[in-house]
Amino acid sequence: MDISTLLDPFSILHLPLADMANDFIRWLTSNFRDVFRAMKVPVKILLDLIEDGLRGAPQTLIVLLIGLLGWQVVNRATGLLAFFAMTTIGLIGAWDAAMTSLSVLTSAVLLATMAGLPVGILCSRSNLMWAIVRPILDFMQTVPSFTYLVPVILLFGIGNVPGVIVTAFFATPPLIRLTNLALRSVREDLVEAGNAFGASPWKLLWAIEMPLARPTIMAGLNQTVMLSLAMSVIASMISVAGLGRLVLVGISQLDMARAATGGVGIVLLAMVFDRITQGFGLTRRDRNGHSLWEQGPVGHLRALFSTSQKTQDIPTEEETL
Amino acid sequence: MTTTPPVHCKNLWKIFGARSAEALAAAQAGKVDKEEALKQFGCVIGVADASFTVNEGEVFCIMGLSGSGKSTVIRHVNRLIEPTAGQVHVEGRDVMALNATELRNVRARKIGMVFQHMALWPHKTIAENVAFGLEVQNSPRNKRRSAAEEALQKVGLGGWGERYPDQLSGGMQQRVGLARAMAADPDILLMDEPFSALDPLIRKDLQDEFLKLSREMKKTTLFITHDLDEAMRMGNRIAIMKDGRIVQTGTPESIVLRPETDYVARFVQSISTLKYISAAEIMTNKPVMPNAPVFGPSTPLPALLDAFKQGADHLAIKDGETVLGRIGQADVLATVQSDLARV
């Protein structure tokens, strides 16, 4: 070995990462193809169910339902915003694409939640688990989103179902992170009080820790939703239909009309989804002392039908003393 | 001993830190004190060799400054903290020998706890907070509701069940904390500085109410406080803690009148002894006149003062027919004078 190789070592030293990755994915596809195929089935069922519902239902009904949901979960202004946003999506001719995007999105968010919540809960229980999961999350969140597409194509193929899988995979990390953080930062004395009154670990989790952690967990879910929306454009490269595809076609054909339609559609959908998911994270205090079902349309209906019309004024300081 | 005491702790040690076993051995052998344990082993001695018994129906106060280990001690009783060494018995059962289910049952049924910062769950209504111990035991909904309302009525908050904790003032919140501790009708109450976070006037109200309730309901209470006045008001007996050790245990009178260490003496310095002094302690053995009013040797000073106000020159202290001594006005004045000089 002469001095020039010492100064220039990479001319002869190689770590065959590319080959290793290749071998690994080949090994996975040849040995576990059926497993990955089987994994697609429940996702497909979920996606079809949601898509049939969204595309089969009358457009007016969907617009009204989303508007009412915004009103119920946040307030009347958000309800109106959701109503007009959905109407605009219909008016600009992006309705069908938006419904497809919405079903991919909803399926992906459901999957991400089913995976992210339990993992986040486990991470908050065990430092070892968190020590293992944390670097994986770091990795998942630093890898450029395009990179996910290659293994997904090789393992799952192309189309809407692999699109749901890659979107869910991409969007889960913040939910895990924030679920872990939320549960770890629940006030210790409130947990101790639960223990002191004989709550089992399970009871403690569902009756005390999860409700108290809810605002932060919902912030995580909101991140998951936003990432899913961002991913929907990228996932269109593996032939996922919806608003993302409009944008992608617009880019590739320099078709400003389609790009604008898809882009505006995504922004409107994002606004609606963002507000509504954030609304689930509001506490009773944020809602002026009302719980979720004491306000909005349901609240009005309940007030209408309730026989005992008790006024629930919050007492002032003087009254209580 | 005929009855098993509700709470009994024996040679309790709690040492925090990775090398607690080594630190324990060294501390038990008397080789290290609190500072040395921290320096040599990186361990904090929370509780050092604490032994005490809480008798049925009494209010037993543990008094100490912050860091003295009193809150750590109380958490051993329902095993929120596991001891490094020593025994904890609740109603005769070794708490350390209970399995998880048994421990939860003991916590839910036998022991109620009140916390310094209330620790009410903000997402639950007052009634739900109060009934949580019953909810944990899966008792039916209507039973939970009536038990919660009953407990709230006891603390003067009947009808507040549908509100949420943030709609209540601090004093009311701690009443709810008390109601929550009593809702499952436990035999033992653990009170961890329950009134420390409250305004002085509200604190006094709650102290009075708690005394009334505890007398009515005969609950055995372990009461933690950093406030000596509070300990004197609430406690049938008081244990004083310093650096994890119990330095003296006794009735309020004996603590004030006969402090066993300088530390306790410094503590009780600001407390007037006059309320606790009894006739036997100030009488002299001079002869008594036959018409002098007669009192027993354990009569407290305030009762003696009444006799003087009615014009007595001196008092005869008798045990049955035996004359033990007399108390003249000068004796009383001397006592007052020395008490004033002490503070």
Side-chain angles (χ1 to χ4, degrees):
Chain A
M1 203 183 285
D2 60 37
I3 194 82
S4 68
T5 40
L6 273 179
L7 291 173
D8 201 5
F10 306 133
S11 56
I12 58 158
L13 293 175
H14 298 287
L15 178 68
L17 178 72
D19 293 338
M20 281 158 70
N22 221 353
D23 290 346
F24 177 64
I25 208 86
R26 204 164 284 159
W27 175 77
L28 270 186
T29 45
S30 55
N31 288 295
F32 295 98
R33 171 146 290 181
D34 293 339
V35 177
F36 289 110
R37 285 260 165 83
M39 279 167 70
K40 280 170 72 174
V41 176
V43 179
K44 183 165 167 40
I45 294 171
L46 178 71
L47 180 65
D48 286 349
L49 199 73
I50 295 173
E51 194 166 10
D52 289 351
L54 283 175
R55 300 186 75 146
Q59 295 167 348
T60 322
L61 184 70
I62 305 264
V63 172
L64 281 176
L65 278 180
I66 292 179
L68 284 173
L69 185 67
W71 182 15
Q72 182 64 52
V73 175
V74 193
N75 53 27
R76 201 169 307 196
T78 305
L80 282 174
L81 175 92
F83 178 83
F84 284 116
M86 295 313 290
T87 308
T88 311
I89 287 174
L91 289 175
I92 62 175
W95 184 263
D96 280 346
M99 287 305 108
T100 305
S101 283
L102 199 53
S103 15
V104 171
L105 199 66
T106 313
S107 315
V109 170
L110 278 175
L111 278 184
T113 310
M114 286 191 284
L117 262 191
V119 174
I121 291 170
L122 286 175
C123 286
S124 73
R125 308 287 103 168
S126 144
N127 286 333
L128 175 69
M129 178 83 177
W130 179 228
I132 295 168
V133 169
R134 193 179 169 175
I136 299 175
L137 295 184
D138 289 340
F139 178 78
M140 284 170 78
Q141 288 183 295
T142 39
V143 165
S145 41
F146 294 95
T147 317
Y148 286 111
L149 298 179
V150 182
V152 166
I153 295 171
L154 292 175
L155 297 174
F156 296 104
I158 57 169
N160 286 359
V161 174
V164 169
I165 292 171
V166 72
T167 306
F169 197 74
F170 179 70
T172 310
L175 184 61
I176 298 178
R177 258 183 216 283
L178 282 161
T179 302
N180 172 57
L181 173 73
L183 287 171
R184 281 175 188 262
S185 39
V186 169
R187 261 174 64 191
E188 247 174 73
D189 61 331
L190 297 182
V191 177
E192 187 184 47
N195 270 320
F197 286 97
S200 63
W202 193 248
K203 179 83 186 167
L204 203 60
L205 180 68
W206 291 109
I208 293 173
E209 295 177 281
M210 287 299 275
L212 291 172
R214 189 177 52 95
T216 309
I217 293 178
M218 291 315 292
L221 186 69
N222 182 253
Q223 289 296 303
T224 294
V225 169
M226 292 297 107
L227 281 180
S228 303
L229 266 161
M231 194 63 185
S232 72
V233 180
I234 293 158
S236 64
M237 291 157 110
I238 58 168
S239 185
V240 175
L243 294 167
R245 185 187 278 173
L246 286 182
V247 177
L248 187 74
V249 171
I251 294 170
S252 56
Q253 299 176 1
L254 281 181
D255 182 346
M256 190 58 202
R258 283 201 206 201
T261 308
V264 170
I266 288 174
V267 169
L268 290 172
L269 208 55
M271 276 165 56
V272 173
F273 246 68
D274 177 50
R275 297 297 159 83
I276 292 177
T277 48
Q278 278 194 26
F280 280 112
L282 296 178
T283 59
R284 209 180 47 80
R285 190 186 273 262
D286 296 325
R287 297 181 207 275
N288 294 321
H290 296 294
S291 70
L292 176 60
W293 300 112
E294 282 166 12
Q295 64 163 24
V298 174
H300 283 282
L301 280 177
R302 276 168 56 162
L304 218 60
F305 287 110
S306 74
T307 41
S308 60
Q309 293 273 339
K310 48 184 175 182
T311 45
Q312 286 246 341
D313 295 283
I314 298 170
T316 60
E317 235 356 69
E318 291 95 79
E319 275 179 277
T320 59
L321 288 175
Chain B
M1 199 185 288
T2 48
T3 54
T4 32
V7 180
H8 177 61
C9 290
K10 202 175 161 205
N11 304 116
L12 197 65
W13 286 84
K14 178 64 194 181
I15 298 179
F16 299 97
R19 296 168 68 192
S20 58
E22 291 168 71
L24 175 71
Q28 277 179 329
K31 286 186 207 142
V32 294
D33 61 1
K34 195 166 180 166
E35 270 174 50
E36 278 294 309
L38 186 60
K39 224 185 274 173
Q40 282 185 28
F41 304 103
C43 288
V44 175
I45 298 184
V47 180
D49 205 19
S51 300
F52 61 90
T53 303
V54 186
N55 299 318
E56 196 163 341
E58 83 171 332
V59 178
F60 186 87
C61 280
I62 297 182
M63 208 273 321
L65 299 181
S66 52
S68 61
K70 54 194 189 308
S71 291
T72 313
V73 167
I74 201 174
R75 280 167 175 70
H76 282 89
V77 175
N78 54 358
R79 215 173 119 188
L80 288 173
I81 295 180
E82 309 259 334
T84 312
Q87 286 150 19
V88 182
H89 290 266
V90 169
E91 296 181 343
R93 292 176 80 184
D94 181 359
V95 174
M96 291 309 295
L98 301 175
N99 66 30
T101 317
E102 290 168 334
L103 178 63
R104 282 203 292 274
N105 280 333
V106 166
R107 284 172 175 173
R109 289 178 198 166
K110 294 266 177 224
I111 303 176
M113 192 162 182
V114 183
F115 298 87
Q116 181 177 7
H117 299 293
M118 292 82 167
L120 302 180
W121 299 294
H123 61 289
K124 289 176 174 287
T125 63
I126 298 302
E128 286 167 354
N129 264 281
V130 171
F132 186 73
L134 297 159
E135 187 189 330
V136 163
Q137 297 173 53
N138 295 321
S139 76
R141 190 174 284 271
N142 53 355
K143 195 185 153 201
R144 263 155 42 194
R145 194 174 298 152
S146 61
E149 183 56 28
E150 197 188 321
L152 283 169
Q153 263 165 11
K154 275 191 192 128
V155 298
L157 285 178
W160 285 78
E162 296 309 308
R163 311 288 174 115
Y164 284 86
D166 61 1
Q167 297 173 322
L168 270 58
S169 67
M172 296 168 91
Q173 287 186 26
Q174 197 54 299
R175 284 166 197 263
V176 176
L178 195 55
R180 177 173 65 176
M182 295 191 304
D185 199 23
D187 301 320
I188 299 164
L189 289 181
L190 302 180
M191 313 214 18
D192 182 21
E193 299 208 41
F195 308 137
S196 302
L198 304 175
D199 299 333
L201 281 178
I202 296 171
R203 187 187 310 159
K204 179 137 190 315
D205 285 351
L206 272 172
Q207 286 171 348
D208 291 339
E209 264 179 69
F210 176 70
L211 280 177
K212 212 178 100 214
L213 272 176
S214 92
R215 253 178 245 131
E216 269 170 29
M217 304 179 63
K218 284 263 164 230
K219 300 243 179 269
T220 304
T221 306
L222 186 55
F223 192 107
I224 303 291
T225 177
H226 64 253
D227 177 0
L228 185 63
D229 288 320
E230 185 169 70
M232 306 290 286
R233 278 170 61 84
M234 311 299 289
N236 298 101
R237 287 189 304 138
I238 299 173
I240 296 193
M241 282 189 82
K242 181 189 183 243
D243 293 343
R245 283 182 191 278
I246 294 181
V247 289
Q248 185 172 353
T249 308
T251 58
E253 292 82 356
S254 70
I255 298 261
V256 171
L257 297 176
R258 291 177 292 280
E260 285 167 12
T261 66
D262 287 349
Y263 183 76
V264 179
R266 277 222 316 278
F267 243 113
V268 299
Q269 208 173 33
S270 62
I271 298 262
S272 167
T273 55
L274 296 177
K275 237 174 27 183
Y276 305 103
I277 283 178
S278 58
E281 267 144 319
I282 54 171
M283 66 190 183
T284 52
N285 46 14
K286 287 178 195 152
V288 292
M289 303 291 279
N291 63 344
V294 176
F295 288 93
S298 58
T299 317
L301 184 62
L304 302 176
L305 293 177
D306 283 340
F308 282 115
K309 268 163 71 185
Q310 280 155 22
D313 170 67
H314 67 269
L315 316 174
I317 307 304
K318 283 187 180 178
D319 187 13
E321 283 308 301
T322 342
V323 177
L324 298 170
R326 71 169 240 168
I327 297 174
Q329 293 189 352
D331 298 321
V332 173
L333 291 177
T335 309
V336 172
Q337 198 172 35
S338 72
D339 185 69
L340 286 173
R342 200 179 64 99
V343 176

